[in-house]
Amino acid sequence: MKKLEVNKELCIGCGACVAIDSNHFDFDEDGLSEVINNEDIESEECLNAMSSCPTNAISYQEEN
Ligand code: SF4
């Protein structure tokens, strides 16, 4: 199973992913993006959010 992951080392908190796909992304207490939902992670909105991230901080990871 794939899951979404935000690399907090790369995230600059620009908010693009949250604006595009608030179903999957929200800000954490540090103002960085975090994944809030791992359902339907290949939706058009989710793919758009991933490709809109300026630092390529969002990726799919294999869940063990
Ligand atoms: S688009 Fe990328 S850099 Fe911007 S808040 Fe989302 S994960 Fe962080």
Side-chain angles (χ1 to χ4, degrees):
M1 273 275 288
K2 285 197 296 189
K3 66 182 179 82
L4 271 176
E5 187 172 284
V6 172
N7 183 335
K8 307 246 182 182
E9 303 285 312
L10 295 177
C11 178
I12 57 173
C14 74
C17 60
V18 179
I20 294 169
D21 186 6
S22 59
N23 188 42
H24 289 106
F25 303 98
D26 199 357
F27 293 113
D28 67 12
E29 61 275 12
D30 298 319
L32 301 177
S33 174
E34 68 180 358
V35 176
I36 56 170
N37 173 17
N38 261 296
E39 298 292 317
D40 197 20
I41 60 174
E42 295 186 17
S43 68
E44 191 176 339
E45 289 81 5
C46 194
L47 292 170
N48 283 340
M50 293 176 79
S51 63
S52 297
C53 177
T55 61
N56 289 319
I58 310 167
S59 62
Y60 292 126
Q61 300 291 326
E62 286 299 326
E63 204 168 27
N64 294 320

